[in-house]
């Protein structure tokens, strides 16, 4: 019997974006994948691995002037959900932002996605109302100061 595996997370290069795209389509499907090409190419991305197998992804976009970081899409294969990996991705991106001296992080999630909302809250994010609803009206918006 195989023992418990160790999940690793690492930032990837632009040349590895095909792995993010592949996981994105596997997890969300072609119809559920609404990411624009710029979201892929302008963001920094991390992959989670179980051994040599990519099992999840997460992205972040640092705005010019480093005034904020936008936490982008996160996707985790179903067998690995509920094991704290999304929180690990959140903490990884916040640590990256802190190293860059970014002022705050913001993000959003669909209003039906309570698991993601609770992960963000447990990592210190607060609900807020942005000046404009950049992701629509059926989402929760979150913000966190980075210290």
């Amino acid at each position: 019997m195989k023992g418990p595996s160790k999940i690793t997370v690492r930032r990837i290069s632009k040349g590895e974006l095909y792995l993010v795209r592949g996981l994105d389509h596997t997890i969300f499907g072609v119809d559920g994948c609404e990411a624009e090409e710029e979201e892929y190419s302008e963001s920094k991305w991390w992959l989670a691995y179980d051994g040599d197998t990519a099992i999840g992804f997460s992205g972040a976009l640092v705005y010019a002037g480093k005034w904020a970081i936008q936490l982008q899409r996160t996707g985790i294969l179903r067998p690995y959900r509920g094991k704290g990996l999304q929180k690990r991705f959140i903490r990884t991106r916040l640590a990256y932002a802190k190293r860059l001296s970014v002022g705050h992080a913001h993000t959003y999630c669909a209003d039906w996605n309570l698991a993601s909302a609770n992960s963000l809250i447990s990592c210190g994010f607060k609900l807020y109302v942005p000046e404009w609803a950049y992701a629509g009206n059926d989402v929760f918006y979150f913000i966190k100061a980075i210290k």
Side-chain angles (χ1 to χ4, degrees):
M1 182 169 140
K2 184 179 175 184
S5 60
K6 181 177 179 184
I7 305 298
T8 58
V9 173
R10 71 172 179 85
R11 198 166 129 206
I12 64 165
S13 68
K14 295 271 187 206
E16 298 171 291
L17 279 176
Y18 70 95
L19 295 167
V20 172
R21 286 187 183 97
L23 274 173
D24 201 343
H25 284 107
T26 298
I27 294 166
F28 297 110
V30 175
D31 293 334
C33 179
E34 300 173 4
E36 300 290 332
E37 179 56 35
E38 295 79 28
E39 185 175 345
Y40 287 119
S41 62
E42 294 177 13
S43 298
K44 304 297 182 195
W45 294 94
W46 289 260
L47 286 175
Y49 287 90
D50 181 359
D52 293 332
T53 304
I55 60 166
F57 69 93
S58 195
L61 176 66
V62 177
Y63 291 109
K66 298 181 184 175
W67 64 274
I69 188 170
Q70 165 77 37
L71 302 189
Q72 304 287 65
R73 308 171 66 76
T74 296
I76 299 167
L77 292 173
R78 191 168 303 279
Y80 296 92
R81 294 178 190 168
K83 301 177 188 318
L85 188 52
Q86 184 172 23
K87 291 177 198 167
R88 187 168 169 189
F89 274 134
I90 293 167
R91 289 189 301 268
T92 297
R93 292 176 292 169
L94 290 174
Y96 172 73
K98 187 172 183 174
R99 284 192 305 275
L100 296 177
S101 300
V102 172
H104 72 274
H106 62 96
T107 192
Y108 64 91
C109 70
D111 59 4
W112 52 263
N113 191 346
L114 299 181
S116 292
N118 284 328
S119 290
L120 289 160
I121 290 166
S122 73
C123 289
F125 280 80
K126 304 287 184 197
L127 287 165
Y128 85 111
V129 178
E131 291 182 25
W132 59 281
Y134 61 90
N137 295 317
D138 297 329
V139 299
F140 296 126
Y141 292 94
F142 294 91
I143 194 165
K144 177 183 171 81
I146 298 176
K147 300 173 183 181

